[in-house]
Amino acid sequence: MSDQPSPYGNTKPTTRVRIPHLKQMKIEGQKWAMLTAYDMYSAAIFEEAGIPVLLVGDSASNNVYGNDSTLSVTVDELISLVRAVSRSTRRALVIADLPFGSYQASAEQCFHTAVRFMKEAGAQAVKLEGGIEMLPQVEKLVSSGIPVMAHIGFTPQMEHQLGGYRVQGRGDDAQRLIDSAKAFEAAGAFAILIEMVPGDVGRAITEAVSIPTVGIGAGNQCDAQVLVWQDMAGLRTGRLPRFVKQYADLRSVLHTAASDFAREVGEGTFPSPEHTF
Ligand code: KIV
């Protein structure tokens, strides 16, 4: 790590970031950033940049495997990616997303899937989507020693049930989300991810619980913020969700590098003598 000011505020973990560090940051009002990561280089770079928590999201379905929704990705496909991220980091807390169909059936199914991510891939926590119907799953994991992040608001695995990508928690529905967050806290979840809700609802949930909230399209009052890394770095094309901010134009950088390479090969100027044995 560099000599830059600590992104953890007064909470400075010397080894792997753990759940108590995140709780302490909430107490100290220290906001933090989470990014998705799916491979060795991105994970190592983000950790070095001071990102304390990396999520191997089921968004790998779209951003790695080229599917058009998160529903298609399998446990086996995600396990390989989680393994790469946990092997290539020493400090960031690595969270594995439980994919669609791998935990909803029962607390036991959820437990067996989560155990695979911990044992086979080295995840240190898991994330699951849903409302209070997921409380038995959360209780089972927590009582088995598996830290759980609950994902509420817009839950992409339910996109067909929810009628597409829509902001949740408007009007009276806000109270349902606040109640779910409190119930997840009582069940032992270590954090709540809140996706696509009005900013005042993100704030109300954050104030209602003592565990950290991580927002994506949930306003700036959450304790932490998450983005999909390819969105953050400007790899993605097309219409972007309103909550995305691009901090770089990596697509242009890679495009230029690849076309320069192709041109030099075509011209016969690569490899030059310095790249030749
Ligand atoms: O899978 C994912 O990328 C997510 C986002 C909400 C961060 O769950």
Side-chain angles (χ1 to χ4, degrees):
M1 291 262 174
S2 67
D3 293 335
Q4 288 165 356
S6 168
Y8 311 101
N10 293 327
T11 310
K12 295 189 183 94
T14 49
T15 55
R16 188 73 80 171
V17 173
R18 290 180 182 271
I19 308 309
H21 297 130
L22 304 180
K23 287 200 172 139
Q24 188 59 28
M25 286 198 270
K26 173 149 184 158
I27 291 166
E28 292 177 5
Q30 178 65 49
K31 291 178 187 267
W32 46 277
M34 173 164 120
L35 279 173
T36 63
Y38 317 100
D39 69 3
M40 179 184 88
Y41 284 123
S42 62
I45 291 167
F46 300 154
E47 173 174 88
E48 207 180 307
I51 302 290
V53 184
L54 297 176
L55 170 69
V56 186
D58 61 355
S59 50
S61 184
N62 314 65
N63 299 312
V64 175
Y65 291 110
N67 298 311
D68 60 7
S69 89
T70 61
L71 302 188
S72 326
V73 78
T74 66
V75 172
D76 288 332
E77 284 173 328
L78 277 189
I79 281 196
S80 304
L81 308 185
V82 175
R83 194 180 289 132
V85 170
S86 50
R87 273 184 190 155
S88 48
T89 52
R90 284 187 312 112
R91 193 150 182 186
L93 178 83
V94 177
I95 305 177
D97 223 354
L98 301 186
F100 177 62
S102 73
Y103 63 94
Q104 287 94 343
S106 66
E108 279 64 36
Q109 185 204 26
C110 182
F111 169 74
H112 290 301
T113 305
V115 165
R116 286 199 62 195
F117 279 105
M118 312 285 284
K119 268 186 193 283
E120 296 175 37
Q124 294 117 42
V126 299
K127 174 168 88 58
L128 54 75
E129 298 183 8
I132 53 169
E133 72 285 355
M134 286 298 135
L135 287 173
Q137 277 82 340
V138 172
E139 281 162 1
K140 174 71 181 165
L141 296 187
V142 172
S143 67
S144 311
I146 302 175
V148 192
M149 175 180 279
H151 179 157
I152 65 173
F154 178 68
T155 44
Q157 292 177 15
M158 295 175 199
E159 64 163 286
H160 300 299
Q161 179 75 18
L162 295 173
Y165 275 64
R166 290 166 181 270
V167 174
Q168 304 293 307
R170 291 200 197 276
D172 292 345
D173 197 36
Q175 193 56 49
R176 178 184 62 85
L177 294 180
I178 296 169
D179 292 344
S180 307
K182 285 182 174 169
F184 281 129
E185 176 179 21
F190 76 87
I192 313 276
L193 188 148
I194 313 168
E195 180 163 357
M196 287 213 310
V197 304
D200 57 342
V201 177
R203 190 193 65 232
I205 297 170
T206 301
E207 288 171 358
V209 294
S210 64
I211 53 176
T213 58
V214 184
I216 179 162
N220 71 358
Q221 297 298 306
C222 296
D223 301 304
Q225 298 290 331
V226 61
L227 285 175
V228 167
W229 89 256
Q230 291 91 339
D231 294 353
M232 182 276 302
L235 269 186
R236 174 169 166 170
T237 48
R239 198 165 155 262
L240 293 172
R242 178 166 169 180
F243 57 74
V244 169
K245 177 170 175 184
Q246 295 186 313
Y247 287 84
D249 185 2
L250 212 53
R251 192 178 177 87
S252 298
V253 173
L254 282 178
H255 185 279
T256 303
S259 49
D260 287 352
F261 172 56
R263 183 177 40 74
E264 289 194 3
V265 170
E267 291 167 353
T269 54
F270 178 84
S272 57
E274 68 187 295
H275 295 112
T276 303
F277 294 104

mmCIF file of all heavy atoms in Angstrom, residues 153-154 165-177 195-202 205 217 242:
data_model
loop_
_atom_site.group_PDB
_atom_site.id
_atom_site.type_symbol
_atom_site.label_atom_id
_atom_site.label_comp_id
_atom_site.label_asym_id
_atom_site.label_seq_id
_atom_site.Cartn_x
_atom_site.Cartn_y
_atom_site.Cartn_z
ATOM 1 N N GLY A 153 -33.854 -3.509 -2.134
ATOM 2 C CA GLY A 153 -34.177 -2.477 -3.127
ATOM 3 C C GLY A 153 -34.394 -3.166 -4.456
ATOM 4 O O GLY A 153 -35.111 -4.175 -4.531
ATOM 5 N N PHE A 154 -33.768 -2.654 -5.520
ATOM 6 C CA PHE A 154 -33.855 -3.387 -6.778
ATOM 7 C C PHE A 154 -32.920 -4.587 -6.692
ATOM 8 O O PHE A 154 -31.727 -4.442 -6.419
ATOM 9 C CB PHE A 154 -33.497 -2.502 -7.974
ATOM 10 C CG PHE A 154 -33.538 -3.293 -9.254
ATOM 11 C CD1 PHE A 154 -34.741 -3.759 -9.751
ATOM 12 C CD2 PHE A 154 -32.364 -3.630 -9.910
ATOM 13 C CE1 PHE A 154 -34.786 -4.546 -10.896
ATOM 14 C CE2 PHE A 154 -32.403 -4.408 -11.052
ATOM 15 C CZ PHE A 154 -33.610 -4.864 -11.545
ATOM 16 N N TYR A 165 -35.835 -3.174 -14.788
ATOM 17 C CA TYR A 165 -34.962 -2.363 -13.937
ATOM 18 C C TYR A 165 -35.712 -1.103 -13.510
ATOM 19 O O TYR A 165 -35.831 -0.149 -14.271
ATOM 20 C CB TYR A 165 -33.671 -2.017 -14.703
ATOM 21 C CG TYR A 165 -32.648 -3.124 -14.595
ATOM 22 C CD1 TYR A 165 -32.908 -4.385 -15.137
ATOM 23 C CD2 TYR A 165 -31.439 -2.919 -13.938
ATOM 24 C CE1 TYR A 165 -31.998 -5.414 -15.013
ATOM 25 C CE2 TYR A 165 -30.518 -3.955 -13.821
ATOM 26 C CZ TYR A 165 -30.802 -5.191 -14.354
ATOM 27 O OH TYR A 165 -29.900 -6.207 -14.220
ATOM 28 N N ARG A 166 -36.251 -1.110 -12.303
ATOM 29 C CA ARG A 166 -37.072 0.004 -11.810
ATOM 30 C C ARG A 166 -36.618 0.421 -10.415
ATOM 31 O O ARG A 166 -36.291 -0.441 -9.595
ATOM 32 C CB ARG A 166 -38.533 -0.457 -11.638
ATOM 33 C CG ARG A 166 -39.243 -0.705 -12.922
ATOM 34 C CD ARG A 166 -40.531 -1.482 -12.621
ATOM 35 N NE ARG A 166 -41.218 -1.762 -13.864
ATOM 36 C CZ ARG A 166 -42.111 -0.956 -14.395
ATOM 37 N NH1 ARG A 166 -42.469 0.144 -13.787
ATOM 38 N NH2 ARG A 166 -42.684 -1.263 -15.546
ATOM 39 N N VAL A 167 -36.697 1.716 -10.169
ATOM 40 C CA VAL A 167 -36.411 2.224 -8.827
ATOM 41 C C VAL A 167 -37.442 1.624 -7.864
ATOM 42 O O VAL A 167 -38.637 1.560 -8.168
ATOM 43 C CB VAL A 167 -36.488 3.769 -8.825
ATOM 44 C CG1 VAL A 167 -36.349 4.325 -7.413
ATOM 45 C CG2 VAL A 167 -35.400 4.339 -9.730
ATOM 46 N N GLN A 168 -36.974 1.165 -6.717
ATOM 47 C CA GLN A 168 -37.843 0.561 -5.693
ATOM 48 C C GLN A 168 -37.977 1.523 -4.511
ATOM 49 O O GLN A 168 -37.203 2.477 -4.378
ATOM 50 C CB GLN A 168 -37.243 -0.766 -5.204
ATOM 51 C CG GLN A 168 -36.971 -1.766 -6.305
ATOM 52 C CD GLN A 168 -38.232 -2.279 -6.966
ATOM 53 O OE1 GLN A 168 -39.154 -2.766 -6.297
ATOM 54 N NE2 GLN A 168 -38.299 -2.171 -8.295
ATOM 55 N N GLY A 169 -38.940 1.234 -3.645
ATOM 56 C CA GLY A 169 -39.040 1.960 -2.371
ATOM 57 C C GLY A 169 -39.647 3.338 -2.479
ATOM 58 O O GLY A 169 -39.443 4.173 -1.607
ATOM 59 N N ARG A 170 -40.407 3.572 -3.551
ATOM 60 C CA ARG A 170 -41.079 4.877 -3.634
ATOM 61 C C ARG A 170 -42.325 4.856 -2.767
ATOM 62 O O ARG A 170 -42.997 3.834 -2.636
ATOM 63 C CB ARG A 170 -41.479 5.166 -5.076
ATOM 64 C CG ARG A 170 -40.301 5.422 -6.017
ATOM 65 C CD ARG A 170 -40.818 6.172 -7.243
ATOM 66 N NE ARG A 170 -39.921 6.140 -8.382
ATOM 67 C CZ ARG A 170 -38.904 6.973 -8.562
ATOM 68 N NH1 ARG A 170 -38.624 7.884 -7.659
ATOM 69 N NH2 ARG A 170 -38.155 6.887 -9.641
ATOM 70 N N GLY A 171 -42.671 5.988 -2.185
ATOM 71 C CA GLY A 171 -43.919 6.118 -1.404
ATOM 72 C C GLY A 171 -43.952 5.154 -0.226
ATOM 73 O O GLY A 171 -42.964 5.003 0.497
ATOM 74 N N ASP A 172 -45.110 4.463 -0.092
ATOM 75 C CA ASP A 172 -45.306 3.571 1.065
ATOM 76 C C ASP A 172 -44.335 2.402 1.067
ATOM 77 O O ASP A 172 -44.101 1.782 2.111
ATOM 78 C CB ASP A 172 -46.740 3.004 1.057
ATOM 79 C CG ASP A 172 -47.754 4.102 1.325
ATOM 80 O OD1 ASP A 172 -47.328 5.180 1.791
ATOM 81 O OD2 ASP A 172 -48.945 3.867 1.055
ATOM 82 N N ASP A 173 -43.786 2.075 -0.082
ATOM 83 C CA ASP A 173 -42.884 0.925 -0.174
ATOM 84 C C ASP A 173 -41.578 1.153 0.604
ATOM 85 O O ASP A 173 -40.864 0.198 0.917
ATOM 86 C CB ASP A 173 -42.587 0.643 -1.652
ATOM 87 C CG ASP A 173 -42.005 -0.749 -1.856
ATOM 88 O OD1 ASP A 173 -42.430 -1.678 -1.133
ATOM 89 O OD2 ASP A 173 -41.120 -0.891 -2.703
ATOM 90 N N ALA A 174 -41.293 2.427 0.909
ATOM 91 C CA ALA A 174 -40.049 2.721 1.632
ATOM 92 C C ALA A 174 -40.018 1.997 2.972
ATOM 93 O O ALA A 174 -38.983 1.443 3.375
ATOM 94 C CB ALA A 174 -39.916 4.230 1.846
ATOM 95 N N GLN A 175 -41.169 1.981 3.660
ATOM 96 C CA GLN A 175 -41.199 1.365 4.995
ATOM 97 C C GLN A 175 -40.871 -0.128 4.925
ATOM 98 O O GLN A 175 -40.198 -0.676 5.801
ATOM 99 C CB GLN A 175 -42.577 1.583 5.636
ATOM 100 C CG GLN A 175 -42.623 1.278 7.119
ATOM 101 C CD GLN A 175 -41.587 2.069 7.927
ATOM 102 O OE1 GLN A 175 -41.469 3.281 7.770
ATOM 103 N NE2 GLN A 175 -40.797 1.374 8.756
ATOM 104 N N ARG A 176 -41.320 -0.782 3.828
ATOM 105 C CA ARG A 176 -41.019 -2.218 3.665
ATOM 106 C C ARG A 176 -39.504 -2.433 3.626
ATOM 107 O O ARG A 176 -38.971 -3.358 4.259
ATOM 108 C CB ARG A 176 -41.667 -2.735 2.371
ATOM 109 C CG ARG A 176 -41.387 -4.191 2.053
ATOM 110 C CD ARG A 176 -41.969 -4.605 0.708
ATOM 111 N NE ARG A 176 -41.412 -3.885 -0.427
ATOM 112 C CZ ARG A 176 -40.299 -4.220 -1.053
ATOM 113 N NH1 ARG A 176 -39.602 -5.267 -0.648
ATOM 114 N NH2 ARG A 176 -39.856 -3.501 -2.081
ATOM 115 N N LEU A 177 -38.813 -1.545 2.923
ATOM 116 C CA LEU A 177 -37.353 -1.707 2.813
ATOM 117 C C LEU A 177 -36.670 -1.425 4.149
ATOM 118 O O LEU A 177 -35.718 -2.116 4.528
ATOM 119 C CB LEU A 177 -36.806 -0.789 1.716
ATOM 120 C CG LEU A 177 -37.274 -1.127 0.292
ATOM 121 C CD1 LEU A 177 -36.666 -0.157 -0.705
ATOM 122 C CD2 LEU A 177 -36.912 -2.561 -0.079
ATOM 123 N N GLU A 195 -29.944 -1.115 -3.589
ATOM 124 C CA GLU A 195 -29.824 -0.766 -5.011
ATOM 125 C C GLU A 195 -31.060 -0.018 -5.498
ATOM 126 O O GLU A 195 -32.197 -0.432 -5.259
ATOM 127 C CB GLU A 195 -29.632 -2.056 -5.842
ATOM 128 C CG GLU A 195 -29.494 -1.775 -7.331
ATOM 129 C CD GLU A 195 -28.897 -2.919 -8.149
ATOM 130 O OE1 GLU A 195 -28.513 -3.946 -7.551
ATOM 131 O OE2 GLU A 195 -28.829 -2.769 -9.383
ATOM 132 N N MET A 196 -30.821 1.071 -6.188
ATOM 133 C CA MET A 196 -31.843 1.848 -6.909
ATOM 134 C C MET A 196 -33.080 2.178 -6.064
ATOM 135 O O MET A 196 -34.174 1.669 -6.315
ATOM 136 C CB MET A 196 -32.241 1.129 -8.198
ATOM 137 C CG MET A 196 -31.169 1.220 -9.245
ATOM 138 S SD MET A 196 -31.739 1.286 -10.956
ATOM 139 C CE MET A 196 -32.864 -0.029 -11.127
ATOM 140 N N VAL A 197 -32.862 3.026 -5.080
ATOM 141 C CA VAL A 197 -33.979 3.577 -4.294
ATOM 142 C C VAL A 197 -33.770 5.087 -4.230
ATOM 143 O O VAL A 197 -32.641 5.569 -4.393
ATOM 144 C CB VAL A 197 -34.040 2.972 -2.859
ATOM 145 C CG1 VAL A 197 -34.116 1.457 -2.884
ATOM 146 C CG2 VAL A 197 -32.858 3.423 -2.005
ATOM 147 N N PRO A 198 -34.823 5.861 -3.957
ATOM 148 C CA PRO A 198 -34.625 7.311 -3.824
ATOM 149 C C PRO A 198 -33.605 7.611 -2.722
ATOM 150 O O PRO A 198 -33.497 6.872 -1.734
ATOM 151 C CB PRO A 198 -36.019 7.818 -3.439
ATOM 152 C CG PRO A 198 -36.960 6.760 -3.945
ATOM 153 C CD PRO A 198 -36.221 5.463 -3.803
ATOM 154 N N GLY A 199 -32.882 8.712 -2.881
ATOM 155 C CA GLY A 199 -31.826 9.067 -1.932
ATOM 156 C C GLY A 199 -32.318 9.170 -0.494
ATOM 157 O O GLY A 199 -31.611 8.779 0.441
ATOM 158 N N ASP A 200 -33.542 9.696 -0.304
ATOM 159 C CA ASP A 200 -34.015 9.833 1.089
ATOM 160 C C ASP A 200 -34.322 8.471 1.708
ATOM 161 O O ASP A 200 -34.233 8.296 2.928
ATOM 162 C CB ASP A 200 -35.218 10.798 1.182
ATOM 163 C CG ASP A 200 -36.377 10.375 0.320
ATOM 164 O OD1 ASP A 200 -36.183 9.563 -0.595
ATOM 165 O OD2 ASP A 200 -37.506 10.860 0.565
ATOM 166 N N VAL A 201 -34.646 7.492 0.862
ATOM 167 C CA VAL A 201 -34.883 6.137 1.390
ATOM 168 C C VAL A 201 -33.534 5.487 1.760
ATOM 169 O O VAL A 201 -33.403 4.845 2.813
ATOM 170 C CB VAL A 201 -35.663 5.276 0.364
ATOM 171 C CG1 VAL A 201 -35.856 3.852 0.866
ATOM 172 C CG2 VAL A 201 -37.005 5.930 0.059
ATOM 173 N N GLY A 202 -32.517 5.717 0.927
ATOM 174 C CA GLY A 202 -31.164 5.237 1.268
ATOM 175 C C GLY A 202 -30.722 5.803 2.612
ATOM 176 O O GLY A 202 -30.167 5.092 3.454
ATOM 177 N N ILE A 205 -32.794 4.202 5.573
ATOM 178 C CA ILE A 205 -32.338 2.835 5.904
ATOM 179 C C ILE A 205 -31.010 2.915 6.654
ATOM 180 O O ILE A 205 -30.801 2.237 7.668
ATOM 181 C CB ILE A 205 -32.199 1.977 4.623
ATOM 182 C CG1 ILE A 205 -33.559 1.800 3.937
ATOM 183 C CG2 ILE A 205 -31.590 0.613 4.955
ATOM 184 C CD1 ILE A 205 -33.499 1.178 2.550
ATOM 185 N N GLY A 217 -26.930 3.604 -6.572
ATOM 186 C CA GLY A 217 -28.177 4.285 -6.942
ATOM 187 C C GLY A 217 -29.075 4.477 -5.731
ATOM 188 O O GLY A 217 -30.301 4.388 -5.845
ATOM 189 N N ARG A 242 -28.305 5.855 -14.436
ATOM 190 C CA ARG A 242 -28.039 7.182 -13.866
ATOM 191 C C ARG A 242 -27.013 7.135 -12.726
ATOM 192 O O ARG A 242 -26.290 8.091 -12.477
ATOM 193 C CB ARG A 242 -29.374 7.732 -13.359
ATOM 194 C CG ARG A 242 -29.261 9.061 -12.708
ATOM 195 C CD ARG A 242 -30.634 9.658 -12.554
ATOM 196 N NE ARG A 242 -30.567 10.831 -11.705
ATOM 197 C CZ ARG A 242 -31.595 11.568 -11.389
ATOM 198 N NH1 ARG A 242 -32.784 11.273 -11.860
ATOM 199 N NH2 ARG A 242 -31.446 12.608 -10.614
#
